[in-house]
Amino acid sequence: MTNKIKIKIDGKEIITDQGKTIVEAAHENGIFIPTLCNFAGALPKGCCRMCTIKINNRFMTSCTTPAAHGMEVENNTNEINDFRKGIIELLFVSGNHFCPSCEKSGNCELQALAYRYQMMVPRFPYDFPMKSVDGSSPYIIKDQNRCILCKRCIKTIKDDLGRHYFAFKERGHKLEVLLDEKMGKEISSALAKKAMENCPVGSIIFKEVGFEVPIGQRKYDHKPIGSEIEN
């Protein structure tokens, strides 16, 4: 039998199962904590830091921190929301995210979070990097300009033998997520579509079909991100 524990998030007491992470406990109790790298079925790594919360005056990632009985968590505060907004701004200025012309617009989690946290003009200078676009796969376009290095594609897109289609290359500011050249040419259309769906931004685009769902009818066009979780 699973042990139940009680924690508080922004003063609200919730009940969850022992062993659940804070973000899992929050979401199952109708409290939204934003994430970009965290994905169902994949081991959490805390890469993006969007799910940062505060416990005992210490910043923690809620996707990697197990809930503990009696824990008091700060989530929706001005300090933490400004921290999250800063992460969003840095992701925008470090890539080339041109939302109006992007296939993922309206379904993009980064764009939706920018709206939720009311990002207007970033506080940081734009890098305007010149990054590569790989179209060698019959089904996928991999645009490095929009990649946020969240690792979702690396963790979730595998073949029947467990081999990864995507992998990191280089380190530091040269770090990129690449589609394996050989495996990319053999990937199925179904798995390519899944890769696009799993990507939180417009870095992985499925070829041949563009704007299948019209702008204005997409996931976040009418409801803000997190509304499906919040009570």
Side-chain angles (χ1 to χ4, degrees), residues 145-216:
N145 293 282
R146 294 169 177 163
C147 184
I148 60 171
L149 306 175
C150 68
K151 293 181 69 175
R152 279 195 193 179
C153 59
I154 296 175
K155 293 187 288 185
T156 64
I157 306 302
K158 306 174 187 178
D159 67 7
D160 294 337
L161 299 176
R163 296 178 300 178
H164 299 265
Y165 283 86
F166 297 88
F168 275 143
K169 180 185 178 183
E170 302 291 353
R171 293 184 177 183
H173 72 281
K174 294 182 179 180
L175 184 66
E176 290 184 330
V177 175
L178 298 183
L179 174 62
D180 183 270
E181 184 177 357
K182 182 180 178 182
M183 294 180 69
K185 291 177 180 177
E186 299 171 352
I187 194 170
S188 67
S189 62
L191 201 55
K193 286 181 180 178
K194 181 181 177 182
M196 177 177 172
E197 291 168 359
N198 289 4
C199 179
V201 291
S203 181
I204 300 174
I205 299 298
F206 184 72
K207 284 185 176 181
E208 299 177 356
V209 179
F211 295 90
E212 187 174 21
V213 178
I215 298 293

Side-chain angles (χ1 to χ4, degrees), residues 32 34 76 111-119 224-227 230:
F32 178 63
N76 189 23
Q111 179 192 45
L113 286 171
Y115 280 125
R116 182 177 178 109
Y117 289 95
Q118 300 180 346
M119 189 198 89
I225 191 169
S227 60
E230 293 171 317

Side-chain angles (χ1 to χ4, degrees), residues 106-109 213 217-225 228:
N107 289 324
C108 174
E109 294 175 37
V213 178
Q217 299 178 26
R218 299 184 173 198
K219 185 174 182 179
Y220 303 119
D221 284 339
H222 299 287
K223 293 183 179 180
I225 191 169
E228 72 281 7

